[in-house]
Structure formats: C-alpha cells, structure tokens
Amino acid sequence: MKNVLLFLSVFVLMAYSCKTVKMETNPDKVSPMIVYSKGPCFGQCPIYTLTIYNSGLAKFNGIRYTDKVGKFEKQLNATEFKGLVELFETNRFWRFDDMYGMDLVDAPTTTISYSYNDKTKTVKGKSNFPEKIDGNYDQVK
C-alpha cells in the first residue's frame, strides 16, 4: 500500500489477488467499502472524496482544485476490485493508528476509511503517515 493515496486518487488499480473477494450484487446490501478524502488547506490543495462501494462502483466527487470538478462514476471490474481489497488486507490496514500528524494547521486532512467483514477502520492525518499508507505523501497533489 506504499502508494495507496496516489493509487486511489488517480484510479490506477492493481489487479493481483489470490484471495476470494466477493463484489456485492444485491442492491439492498451495497455500502461504501473504501472512502478516501482530502480536505481543504490554506492554499489550493485538491479537495475531493473517492468512495468505492462493495459492488465495485467507484464515485469521485471533485470539489475544488482537482483536474475534474464534479461527480464521476466508474464501475470497477472484479479483478480491479479484488486487487484493491488485497492492498488493504496484505498491508494490514487494521493495525495502523487512527491519527497521524494532526497538529499541522495548514495541511489538508487526509481520511481513509475501510470496511470489510462488518469491521470499519478510519485513519486520518495531515502528515507523518507510515510509508505503507503513503510513501509519497508530499508528492500527491
């Protein structure tokens, strides 16, 4: 998950998985599985939310300072979806702290929530993310 922030923000999805991951097909059971958002700063930081549902539907809402402003959708195929889930599972997202570097006033807040098997973990931060979450934090724009 070294580049997961960059990975999510530009929709470059990896496609490697041996684990069985089921995409939800029942419309009554569709719910957000991954929510990744970037908040405002005192400058021109991109502000957006990317939500990926357990059905594989990805919704991007570009609010300000993004390449695309507005709401966009993409349906991930099964391979893309499995690869994304595998990134969170193999890098043990559940073990990360809940907060990182929240003492910086000017930096945007990055929030990543992951839900799987009736568990949800949310990680927030402005800096000092572990390398497995964000090896290129300063380079993501």
Side-chain angles (χ1 to χ4, degrees), residues 7-126:
F7 170 86
L8 289 172
S9 65
V10 296
F11 290 100
V12 178
L13 300 172
M14 295 179 65
Y16 300 103
S17 177
C18 298
K19 187 176 185 177
T20 301
V21 177
K22 181 183 174 206
M23 290 172 56
E24 185 59 59
T25 56
N26 182 340
D28 295 332
K29 294 183 179 179
V30 171
S31 61
M33 184 171 193
I34 299 166
V35 180
Y36 172 73
S37 65
K38 293 286 266 187
C41 67
F42 289 133
Q44 295 182 353
C45 299
I47 304 168
Y48 59 91
T49 300
L50 172 64
T51 305
I52 300 175
Y53 293 84
N54 57 353
S55 64
L57 178 64
K59 291 185 177 184
F60 177 83
N61 182 13
I63 299 166
R64 289 175 78 185
Y65 308 118
T66 61
D67 289 340
K68 293 185 175 187
V69 174
K71 296 180 180 183
F72 302 89
E73 292 183 359
K74 175 184 178 182
Q75 180 63 48
L76 305 178
N77 66 41
T79 303
E80 292 170 326
F81 181 76
K82 288 177 185 178
L84 185 57
V85 171
E86 186 71 16
L87 281 174
F88 281 88
E89 292 297 315
T90 60
N91 287 285
R92 298 183 283 184
F93 187 76
W94 307 108
R95 293 188 177 188
F96 291 114
D97 292 339
D98 294 338
M99 300 273 200
Y100 292 96
M102 295 300 287
D103 56 337
L104 297 175
V105 177
D106 184 32
T109 299
T110 300
T111 305
I112 304 171
S113 291
Y114 175 62
S115 300
Y116 191 66
N117 287 339
D118 297 323
K119 293 189 323 186
T120 299
K121 170 77 174 176
T122 299
V123 175
K124 286 185 173 188
K126 293 189 178 209

